[in-house]
Amino acid sequence: MSNTWPHLDYLGWRETCSALHLYLQIAGKYRLAHSPWLNHSWNATFYVTPRGLSSSPIPDGPGIEILFDLYDHRVVGTNGDGREASFALGPSTVATFYADFVRLVSDLGGTPTFDGQPNEVPYPIPFREDHRDRPWDREAVQRFHRASTAVDRVFKAFRTSFIGKSSPVHLFWGALDLAVTRFSGRRAPLHRGGIPALPDDVAREAYDREVSSAGFWPGGGGIDYPAFYAYAYPSPSSFRSASVRPDAAFWHEELGEFILPYDAVRSAADPNEALMAFLVSTYEAAADRGGWDRDLLECVPGRPRQARLPDAEQSDQVPRATDIPVEREEGTTKGRYRISVEGIEAEMTYTRSGEKLIIIDHTDVPAALRGRRIGEQMVRRAVEDARRDGVIIIPLCPFAKAQIERHPEWQDVLRRA
């Protein structure tokens, strides 16, 4: 795994990282200036490729695509007429890169007009005025790209289990983070703005819908090591106290989000599995506490050459939740409902408080069982049992609470004030 998940020493290459960050901002601002706005700034991002980071086609002149080739250490531009132009990446200044980039766009028939001020960096200096010498650590840049490729692969696998609106996996050059975002489908409160060097209208447009977002930083922005992050906007009640995986993940008070150090993933027995656990558990914390309609938004993780089966056309290989028996296991004070499909188990646990009161405290539906309304089926069975036995339910579990709120016909089993 050491080659797939290479060692990253942010403090050792931060000056090169800062240079790459500013170079990507220059190219990103060019794309932003010439691309129609796409919701949540998706018209301005970069994408991981086997060679580096690509802008995808920019609708300027004959059409121009910018590639940061992080193996040959060049910026390569191609256009719709078949022409190519490039220049080398190496020790330089931001002002020199800016001039080289403007010349490249002009040579390809484009119009190199764009905002010349950095964003989301402390003490920004206009690009054309930044003459400080910047190093270029070729090996560190390549390690960063290999790590980004590994992260990109896991993020894309995570994205396949969500059928609601989801961003592409893309790199934002503002904060230099590779990110993927899921949306509940509901409007969010107006964002207060105030992000340093980022226009308030951009921040407010980016967060005008409820989101659960995760990403990867090479370092900086409050932490001096590479790490994964996860947050929700708006942040649901008790989100910060959620139990997330793996054990190395923690809530960062100053940043207001969950953090998982890159080294904890790299050193795990299965790095892909460790990162996926972080993505899934932080999303579930946001979705459950935020009352997202998970049964509607989620699906079985994607597999090559296997189309997702529509909910109304489930085959015999994927039984509907109503066709799967819900089992109940009852103890003196604890109990649970469970559904097992091909050895994969979902459960909903509860605590008994006296003879006539149960508290549903947790629901866990593995990713392989998503999209079959299994969680809903366990809550339905608990409601039916409560009616039969004359029991009151207190749904402390956010998922169960959200399900009962969406089904007014189930609310007769709730405790009344």
Side-chain angles (χ1 to χ4, degrees):
M1 290 293 181
S2 60
N3 185 52
T4 304
W5 295 88
H7 174 62
L8 296 179
D9 175 18
Y10 173 69
L11 295 180
W13 83 294
R14 62 180 167 182
E15 289 300 319
T16 295
C17 185
S18 174
L20 177 61
H21 185 187
L22 291 168
Y23 300 161
L24 284 164
Q25 288 214 3
I26 290 170
K29 282 175 171 283
Y30 164 65
R31 183 183 180 203
L32 178 66
H34 295 274
S35 302
W37 193 274
L38 183 59
N39 61 90
H40 305 88
S41 305
W42 297 353
N43 58 305
T45 55
F46 280 81
Y47 308 92
V48 175
T49 77
R51 300 279 321 169
L53 298 167
S54 171
S55 67
S56 77
I58 299 166
D60 179 35
I64 295 172
E65 183 169 17
I66 305 298
L67 170 67
F68 281 70
D69 187 329
L70 302 182
Y71 282 89
D72 284 343
H73 302 278
R74 303 187 66 79
V75 174
V76 181
T78 53
N79 75 3
D81 292 335
R83 283 183 288 160
E84 179 179 298
S86 67
F87 62 89
L89 285 167
S92 185
T93 70
V94 173
T96 298
F97 180 95
Y98 177 85
D100 288 341
F101 183 79
V102 166
R103 186 162 46 252
L104 177 143
V105 171
S106 297
D107 289 347
L108 293 172
T111 306
T113 55
F114 52 92
D115 178 60
Q117 185 85 0
N119 286 96
E120 299 185 66
V121 297
Y123 313 112
I125 301 171
F127 299 127
R128 66 173 71 234
E129 299 175 16
D130 189 345
H131 297 285
R132 181 162 70 87
D133 289 333
R134 308 273 180 164
W136 188 258
D137 185 333
R138 296 167 67 94
E139 291 185 2
V141 167
Q142 290 178 355
R143 287 196 299 271
F144 168 66
H145 175 254
R146 289 205 307 274
S148 298
T149 300
V151 173
D152 182 73
R153 184 179 299 116
V154 178
F155 278 14
K156 285 176 177 173
F158 170 67
R159 187 172 183 257
T160 66
S161 61
F162 196 75
I163 199 171
K165 176 181 173 179
S166 176
S167 77
V169 179
H170 48 199
L171 184 134
F172 283 105
W173 42 260
L176 194 61
D177 57 324
L178 191 65
V180 61
T181 301
R182 292 177 168 185
F183 295 78
S184 75
R186 299 189 301 239
R187 290 183 172 87
L190 183 67
H191 194 279
R192 65 179 183 276
I195 298 175
L198 183 68
D200 286 348
D201 60 343
V202 175
R204 287 168 178 157
E205 194 273 346
Y207 293 108
D208 74 334
R209 297 293 189 272
E210 290 183 347
V211 302
S212 171
S213 190
F216 167 66
W217 282 315
I223 53 174
D224 289 333
Y225 52 87
F228 301 94
Y229 66 80
Y231 67 86
Y233 182 80
S235 186
S237 174
S238 74
F239 178 57
R240 68 179 60 201
S241 61
S243 177
V244 301
R245 305 185 303 275
D247 292 341
F250 64 95
W251 178 262
H252 195 294
E253 286 292 342
E254 291 185 14
L255 296 176
E257 50 199 38
F258 287 103
I259 295 293
L260 174 64
Y262 171 85
D263 280 349
V265 171
R266 179 176 180 266
S267 61
D270 187 334
N272 292 2
E273 182 179 303
L275 176 53
M276 186 64 77
F278 180 71
L279 299 174
V280 170
S281 64
T282 53
Y283 158 71
E284 289 179 342
D288 286 346
R289 285 160 173 75
W292 291 27
D293 190 343
R294 291 182 56 188
D295 281 331
L296 181 66
L297 295 170
E298 299 172 22
C299 61
V300 175
R303 297 288 185 269
R305 296 181 59 82
Q306 293 183 18
R308 183 188 67 84
L309 291 170
D311 293 345
E313 298 180 10
Q314 298 290 324
S315 69
D316 292 338
Q317 287 82 19
V318 184
R320 300 179 185 182
T322 53
D323 300 331
I324 306 170
V326 181
E327 299 179 8
R328 182 178 183 180
E329 298 175 356
E330 177 95 326
T332 304
T333 60
K334 300 282 188 180
R336 69 170 185 154
Y337 291 92
R338 62 183 291 272
I339 290 178
S340 181
V341 180
E342 297 177 356
I344 302 172
E345 183 177 273
E347 70 169 3
M348 183 177 73
T349 61
Y350 63 87
T351 300
R352 183 173 289 280
S353 181
E355 292 185 3
K356 297 298 182 180
L357 177 66
I358 67 168
I359 301 170
I360 298 177
D361 45 39
H362 180 66
T363 303
D364 180 30
V365 179
L369 300 183
R370 301 278 162 74
R372 307 188 197 183
R373 309 189 81 85
I374 281 177
E376 177 184 354
Q377 189 68 10
M378 290 189 291
V379 177
R380 183 190 301 274
R381 169 69 188 277
V383 169
E384 293 171 349
D385 288 353
R387 285 175 178 154
R388 183 195 65 212
D389 300 336
V391 168
I392 296 298
I393 291 176
I394 296 179
L396 288 187
C397 164
F399 175 80
K401 182 175 184 293
Q403 285 293 326
I404 293 175
E405 286 177 350
R406 283 197 292 270
H407 291 81
E409 71 276 14
W410 293 356
Q411 295 173 13
D412 57 299
V413 301
L414 298 178
R415 169 179 277 179
R416 301 299 179 183

